[in-house]
Amino acid sequence: QLGRAHLFESLEQALLSPAASFDAVLVMLPFSAAAREVERAFEHGLHVMQEKPLGTSVEECRAVLGLRPERCRFMVAENAQYWEEVVLIGRVIAEGRVGEVVSVKGHCVETCFKAEAACTEFADDYAPGSWRAASEGFLMDTGSHWIRPMRMWLGEVDQVSCVMSRRGLPHMAGDSIALALLRFRSGALGTLEASVVSSPLGTAHHPLFVVQGTLGQLVLHGEYDRCHVTLYDAAHPEGHTFEPPEHSSFVNSYVPELEDFVAHLLDGRPLQAPPEEAMRDVAVIEALYKSASTAAFVKVDQ
């Protein structure tokens, strides 16, 4: 049952109001503003779901994790963990249907202009003056959505190499284009392109992920709001496309994510991914930034 909604200008105002009574907060802010609000919520004994990233470095992540009192529960919102096509791919890999996984390719390219708009009119959150444009960069903002699935399928990343540029969107404070190589502890290799570019015509459609095994290949096609998984193997040389899951697509992954948080609070059910997983995502991203600044392979902080 949802009662009457109350609006407040700050979390502090809500915490001090006799009109509000709640047990948990969702902190959906850029990290530069999120850490203080998470700390404030913990000081009042509230449970917290924080929007990713947990921090912009492993050191910052450890600091946030250290704020949590024992009585408070904490989750970092990374909906790729609940992206049902990603979960499906993990299940097919675990069944051995593609053999040993030897490589993975991730492709995340967004455009920031409407097809029919003039080149000064932006269509999304990377417009000049937006908090995303002023953030550390597109890789820090979006990279975990692609790195988390790779880690779910192939395990931990051992070392990385990366090059970056702001040429895709020069007004951004951080990178708008990142091209990365990853070597996993298993010996598997990966590539990742994470870019946002100004293009009134959009971009060509590439698979979101390609997972290559010794016995077959899995391809995740589509867009954020509609996608599907196809298996190519000896039995399906032309490809077998799986039926869409219940909460198909990236945008619908927020439903099982929120359900997991609620079950964690009400029933004590362990989270599918504890907040330490978000720190491991950041460890990979931090290593990618270090690689781009040093033009060298960098070991990931384990």
Side-chain angles (χ1 to χ4, degrees):
Q1 295 290 331
L2 295 177
R4 178 186 173 189
H6 298 276
L7 301 179
F8 303 96
E9 295 182 356
S10 68
L11 176 59
E12 185 66 23
Q13 185 183 66
L15 292 169
L16 297 176
S17 172
S21 176
F22 48 91
D23 303 305
V25 295
L26 275 61
V27 180
M28 303 290 130
L29 295 170
F31 177 77
S32 58
R36 178 65 192 113
E37 300 306 324
V38 170
E39 183 177 18
R40 197 189 311 274
F42 283 151
E43 288 171 350
H44 286 78
L46 296 173
H47 309 299
V48 176
M49 175 193 278
Q50 178 191 333
E51 173 64 15
K52 60 81 188 161
L54 177 57
T56 59
S57 68
V58 171
E59 181 180 3
E60 288 181 352
C61 292
R62 289 190 176 121
V64 175
L65 290 173
L67 298 172
R68 176 179 51 175
E70 188 174 345
R71 68 184 184 279
C72 295
R73 293 176 177 170
F74 185 39
M75 177 178 179
V76 179
E78 175 44 76
N79 57 300
Q81 178 78 33
Y82 306 87
W83 187 353
E84 292 204 0
E85 282 80 4
V86 167
V87 175
L88 171 61
I89 289 174
R91 188 161 59 247
V92 175
I93 291 172
E95 292 170 354
R97 297 177 66 178
V98 295
E100 180 185 4
V101 176
V102 296
S103 68
V104 61
K105 298 178 183 178
H107 185 265
C108 174
V109 177
E110 295 187 11
T111 56
C112 64
F113 293 115
K114 295 179 181 177
E116 72 278 6
C119 289
T120 55
E121 186 176 347
F122 284 76
D124 66 8
D125 294 334
Y126 294 93
S130 69
W131 71 264
R132 290 185 186 275
S135 68
E136 288 76 8
F138 186 68
L139 181 64
M140 182 62 73
D141 181 29
T142 305
S144 62
H145 292 323
W146 262 246
I147 290 169
R148 178 67 64 88
M150 291 182 174
R151 291 182 50 243
M152 291 167 65
W153 301 329
L154 279 74
E156 297 305 330
V157 180
D158 181 52
Q159 59 179 324
V160 301
S161 177
C162 187
V163 291
M164 295 180 178
S165 171
R166 293 173 52 245
R167 294 188 68 179
L169 281 184
H171 69 265
M172 285 186 64
D175 61 280
S176 60
I177 300 175
L179 301 175
L181 300 175
L182 304 92
R183 181 186 294 276
F184 293 82
R185 288 189 200 173
S186 66
L189 303 179
T191 64
L192 172 63
E193 178 178 0
S195 304
V196 57
V197 297
S198 57
S199 172
L201 301 178
T203 62
H205 293 290
H206 294 273
L208 302 175
F209 289 101
V210 177
V211 179
Q212 182 63 55
T214 55
L215 298 178
Q217 184 183 81
L218 287 160
V219 181
L220 176 51
H221 305 269
E223 305 289 342
Y224 287 121
D225 58 346
R226 58 188 185 280
C227 51
H228 58 273
V229 176
T230 301
L231 167 67
Y232 298 89
D233 61 5
H236 309 93
E238 302 300 319
H240 166 71
T241 298
F242 294 91
E243 288 293 322
E246 179 184 1
H247 298 296
S248 177
S249 82
F250 179 87
V251 296
N252 288 323
S253 58
Y254 299 106
V255 175
E257 178 184 54
L258 290 169
E259 289 175 346
D260 194 31
F261 184 55
V262 171
H264 182 54
L265 299 186
L266 297 182
D267 306 327
R269 189 179 73 188
L271 293 170
Q272 290 189 30
E276 288 76 13
E277 291 299 319
M279 181 166 64
R280 294 185 180 98
D281 293 334
V282 171
V284 177
I285 295 171
E286 184 179 22
L288 290 169
Y289 278 102
K290 287 180 180 178
S291 174
S293 66
T294 60
F297 275 91
V298 173
K299 294 280 286 186
V300 176
D301 184 345
Q302 303 297 346

